[in-house]
Amino acid sequence: MNVPDFPPREKHPTIFNGFDELASGETMMIVNDHDPRPLLYQFVMERPEQFSWEYLEEGPETWRVAIAKK
């Protein structure tokens, strides 16, 4: 999922909708133009113990994160 393609107000809801559609054990990858750390904090608050988060690339221009559903 290429996050910059979405309007700002739709980014996090779109990512959460995609995550919620995953089956247990499936992974989605997001690509962003900045560190998505605020999204990680939101996952911790809204989906505790339901996901794993792995940085695959950490900038400076592109961040890629694998988010797996437990």
Side-chain angles (χ1 to χ4, degrees), residues 1-7 11-12 15 30-34 39:
M1 182 178 298
N2 192 23
V3 178
D5 289 347
F6 300 102
K11 290 179 182 191
H12 286 201
I15 294 166
I30 63 167
V31 179
N32 207 4
D33 57 2
H34 63 275
L39 178 66

PDB file of all heavy atoms in Angstrom, residues 1-7 11-12 15 30-34 39:
ATOM      1  N   MET A   1       0.861  -1.158   0.000  1.00  0.00           N
ATOM      2  CA  MET A   1       0.000   0.000   0.000  1.00  0.00           C
ATOM      3  C   MET A   1       0.911   1.226   0.000  1.00  0.00           C
ATOM      4  O   MET A   1       1.732   1.390   0.893  1.00  0.00           O
ATOM      5  CB  MET A   1      -0.892  -0.043   1.243  1.00  0.00           C
ATOM      6  CG  MET A   1      -1.862   1.085   1.350  1.00  0.00           C
ATOM      7  SD  MET A   1      -2.941   0.948   2.816  1.00  0.00           S
ATOM      8  CE  MET A   1      -3.809  -0.557   2.503  1.00  0.00           C
ATOM      9  N   ASN A   2       0.767   2.053  -0.997  1.00  0.00           N
ATOM     10  CA  ASN A   2       1.566   3.262  -1.112  1.00  0.00           C
ATOM     11  C   ASN A   2       0.814   4.406  -0.443  1.00  0.00           C
ATOM     12  O   ASN A   2      -0.093   4.993  -1.017  1.00  0.00           O
ATOM     13  CB  ASN A   2       1.871   3.562  -2.576  1.00  0.00           C
ATOM     14  CG  ASN A   2       2.927   4.616  -2.730  1.00  0.00           C
ATOM     15  OD1 ASN A   2       3.733   4.845  -1.836  1.00  0.00           O
ATOM     16  ND2 ASN A   2       2.931   5.274  -3.874  1.00  0.00           N
ATOM     17  N   VAL A   3       1.186   4.712   0.782  1.00  0.00           N
ATOM     18  CA  VAL A   3       0.449   5.652   1.623  1.00  0.00           C
ATOM     19  C   VAL A   3       0.345   7.060   1.028  1.00  0.00           C
ATOM     20  O   VAL A   3      -0.716   7.676   1.097  1.00  0.00           O
ATOM     21  CB  VAL A   3       1.049   5.679   3.050  1.00  0.00           C
ATOM     22  CG1 VAL A   3       0.331   6.681   3.932  1.00  0.00           C
ATOM     23  CG2 VAL A   3       0.990   4.288   3.663  1.00  0.00           C
ATOM     24  N   PRO A   4       1.407   7.613   0.409  1.00  0.00           N
ATOM     25  CA  PRO A   4       1.275   8.964  -0.147  1.00  0.00           C
ATOM     26  C   PRO A   4       0.208   9.098  -1.236  1.00  0.00           C
ATOM     27  O   PRO A   4      -0.189  10.209  -1.579  1.00  0.00           O
ATOM     28  CB  PRO A   4       2.673   9.258  -0.701  1.00  0.00           C
ATOM     29  CG  PRO A   4       3.583   8.428   0.127  1.00  0.00           C
ATOM     30  CD  PRO A   4       2.798   7.150   0.373  1.00  0.00           C
ATOM     31  N   ASP A   5      -0.269   7.978  -1.776  1.00  0.00           N
ATOM     32  CA  ASP A   5      -1.310   8.039  -2.802  1.00  0.00           C
ATOM     33  C   ASP A   5      -2.671   8.456  -2.241  1.00  0.00           C
ATOM     34  O   ASP A   5      -3.560   8.822  -3.003  1.00  0.00           O
ATOM     35  CB  ASP A   5      -1.482   6.676  -3.492  1.00  0.00           C
ATOM     36  CG  ASP A   5      -0.299   6.335  -4.389  1.00  0.00           C
ATOM     37  OD1 ASP A   5       0.528   7.228  -4.670  1.00  0.00           O
ATOM     38  OD2 ASP A   5      -0.206   5.167  -4.796  1.00  0.00           O
ATOM     39  N   PHE A   6      -2.839   8.393  -0.930  1.00  0.00           N
ATOM     40  CA  PHE A   6      -4.135   8.672  -0.324  1.00  0.00           C
ATOM     41  C   PHE A   6      -4.178  10.088   0.234  1.00  0.00           C
ATOM     42  O   PHE A   6      -3.177  10.593   0.737  1.00  0.00           O
ATOM     43  CB  PHE A   6      -4.436   7.670   0.801  1.00  0.00           C
ATOM     44  CG  PHE A   6      -4.482   6.254   0.331  1.00  0.00           C
ATOM     45  CD1 PHE A   6      -3.409   5.399   0.550  1.00  0.00           C
ATOM     46  CD2 PHE A   6      -5.582   5.773  -0.355  1.00  0.00           C
ATOM     47  CE1 PHE A   6      -3.433   4.090   0.098  1.00  0.00           C
ATOM     48  CE2 PHE A   6      -5.621   4.461  -0.814  1.00  0.00           C
ATOM     49  CZ  PHE A   6      -4.546   3.621  -0.588  1.00  0.00           C
ATOM     50  N   PRO A   7      -5.363  10.730   0.197  1.00  0.00           N
ATOM     51  CA  PRO A   7      -5.501  12.046   0.840  1.00  0.00           C
ATOM     52  C   PRO A   7      -5.204  11.921   2.336  1.00  0.00           C
ATOM     53  O   PRO A   7      -5.465  10.869   2.940  1.00  0.00           O
ATOM     54  CB  PRO A   7      -6.970  12.407   0.608  1.00  0.00           C
ATOM     55  CG  PRO A   7      -7.415  11.559  -0.535  1.00  0.00           C
ATOM     56  CD  PRO A   7      -6.592  10.300  -0.454  1.00  0.00           C
ATOM     57  N   LYS A  11      -5.557   8.339   5.054  1.00  0.00           N
ATOM     58  CA  LYS A  11      -4.402   7.447   5.164  1.00  0.00           C
ATOM     59  C   LYS A  11      -4.555   6.413   6.271  1.00  0.00           C
ATOM     60  O   LYS A  11      -4.542   5.208   5.995  1.00  0.00           O
ATOM     61  CB  LYS A  11      -3.118   8.263   5.377  1.00  0.00           C
ATOM     62  CG  LYS A  11      -2.729   9.036   4.148  1.00  0.00           C
ATOM     63  CD  LYS A  11      -1.481   9.849   4.362  1.00  0.00           C
ATOM     64  CE  LYS A  11      -1.193  10.637   3.086  1.00  0.00           C
ATOM     65  NZ  LYS A  11       0.110  11.257   3.100  1.00  0.00           N
ATOM     66  N   HIS A  12      -4.698   6.836   7.504  1.00  0.00           N
ATOM     67  CA  HIS A  12      -4.773   5.876   8.609  1.00  0.00           C
ATOM     68  C   HIS A  12      -6.022   5.012   8.520  1.00  0.00           C
ATOM     69  O   HIS A  12      -5.924   3.788   8.692  1.00  0.00           O
ATOM     70  CB  HIS A  12      -4.666   6.584   9.951  1.00  0.00           C
ATOM     71  CG  HIS A  12      -3.279   7.043  10.264  1.00  0.00           C
ATOM     72  ND1 HIS A  12      -2.858   7.307  11.544  1.00  0.00           N
ATOM     73  CD2 HIS A  12      -2.208   7.281   9.465  1.00  0.00           C
ATOM     74  CE1 HIS A  12      -1.590   7.687  11.514  1.00  0.00           C
ATOM     75  NE2 HIS A  12      -1.177   7.692  10.262  1.00  0.00           N
ATOM     76  N   ILE A  15      -5.399   2.303   5.957  1.00  0.00           N
ATOM     77  CA  ILE A  15      -4.447   1.298   6.439  1.00  0.00           C
ATOM     78  C   ILE A  15      -5.130   0.368   7.444  1.00  0.00           C
ATOM     79  O   ILE A  15      -4.974  -0.856   7.366  1.00  0.00           O
ATOM     80  CB  ILE A  15      -3.212   1.977   7.055  1.00  0.00           C
ATOM     81  CG1 ILE A  15      -2.439   2.715   5.953  1.00  0.00           C
ATOM     82  CG2 ILE A  15      -2.329   0.953   7.766  1.00  0.00           C
ATOM     83  CD1 ILE A  15      -1.402   3.689   6.475  1.00  0.00           C
ATOM     84  N   ILE A  30       3.317  -1.416   3.910  1.00  0.00           N
ATOM     85  CA  ILE A  30       3.040  -0.027   3.575  1.00  0.00           C
ATOM     86  C   ILE A  30       4.345   0.637   3.165  1.00  0.00           C
ATOM     87  O   ILE A  30       5.420   0.277   3.639  1.00  0.00           O
ATOM     88  CB  ILE A  30       2.365   0.745   4.737  1.00  0.00           C
ATOM     89  CG1 ILE A  30       3.272   0.827   5.963  1.00  0.00           C
ATOM     90  CG2 ILE A  30       1.011   0.140   5.081  1.00  0.00           C
ATOM     91  CD1 ILE A  30       2.799   1.829   7.002  1.00  0.00           C
ATOM     92  N   VAL A  31       4.228   1.581   2.249  1.00  0.00           N
ATOM     93  CA  VAL A  31       5.356   2.372   1.784  1.00  0.00           C
ATOM     94  C   VAL A  31       4.993   3.815   2.045  1.00  0.00           C
ATOM     95  O   VAL A  31       3.889   4.265   1.711  1.00  0.00           O
ATOM     96  CB  VAL A  31       5.604   2.142   0.276  1.00  0.00           C
ATOM     97  CG1 VAL A  31       6.775   2.993  -0.212  1.00  0.00           C
ATOM     98  CG2 VAL A  31       5.844   0.667  -0.007  1.00  0.00           C
ATOM     99  N   ASN A  32       5.910   4.563   2.659  1.00  0.00           N
ATOM    100  CA  ASN A  32       5.614   5.952   3.022  1.00  0.00           C
ATOM    101  C   ASN A  32       6.820   6.833   2.728  1.00  0.00           C
ATOM    102  O   ASN A  32       7.939   6.338   2.579  1.00  0.00           O
ATOM    103  CB  ASN A  32       5.223   6.037   4.502  1.00  0.00           C
ATOM    104  CG  ASN A  32       4.328   7.211   4.802  1.00  0.00           C
ATOM    105  OD1 ASN A  32       3.918   7.939   3.913  1.00  0.00           O
ATOM    106  ND2 ASN A  32       4.024   7.405   6.062  1.00  0.00           N
ATOM    107  N   ASP A  33       6.588   8.133   2.695  1.00  0.00           N
ATOM    108  CA  ASP A  33       7.657   9.092   2.417  1.00  0.00           C
ATOM    109  C   ASP A  33       8.244   9.691   3.691  1.00  0.00           C
ATOM    110  O   ASP A  33       9.084  10.583   3.637  1.00  0.00           O
ATOM    111  CB  ASP A  33       7.165  10.189   1.476  1.00  0.00           C
ATOM    112  CG  ASP A  33       5.962  10.935   2.011  1.00  0.00           C
ATOM    113  OD1 ASP A  33       5.504  10.650   3.143  1.00  0.00           O
ATOM    114  OD2 ASP A  33       5.457  11.811   1.286  1.00  0.00           O
ATOM    115  N   HIS A  34       7.804   9.205   4.844  1.00  0.00           N
ATOM    116  CA  HIS A  34       8.362   9.608   6.134  1.00  0.00           C
ATOM    117  C   HIS A  34       8.149   8.458   7.126  1.00  0.00           C
ATOM    118  O   HIS A  34       7.392   7.538   6.848  1.00  0.00           O
ATOM    119  CB  HIS A  34       7.720  10.908   6.658  1.00  0.00           C
ATOM    120  CG  HIS A  34       6.270  10.784   6.935  1.00  0.00           C
ATOM    121  ND1 HIS A  34       5.310  10.944   5.960  1.00  0.00           N
ATOM    122  CD2 HIS A  34       5.597  10.488   8.076  1.00  0.00           C
ATOM    123  CE1 HIS A  34       4.118  10.768   6.499  1.00  0.00           C
ATOM    124  NE2 HIS A  34       4.265  10.480   7.779  1.00  0.00           N
ATOM    125  N   LEU A  39       1.690   6.153  13.189  1.00  0.00           N
ATOM    126  CA  LEU A  39       0.790   5.049  12.865  1.00  0.00           C
ATOM    127  C   LEU A  39       1.057   3.861  13.796  1.00  0.00           C
ATOM    128  O   LEU A  39       0.120   3.213  14.263  1.00  0.00           O
ATOM    129  CB  LEU A  39       0.965   4.633  11.409  1.00  0.00           C
ATOM    130  CG  LEU A  39       0.128   3.454  10.938  1.00  0.00           C
ATOM    131  CD1 LEU A  39      -1.360   3.791  10.956  1.00  0.00           C
ATOM    132  CD2 LEU A  39       0.566   3.028   9.543  1.00  0.00           C
TER     133      LEU A  39
END
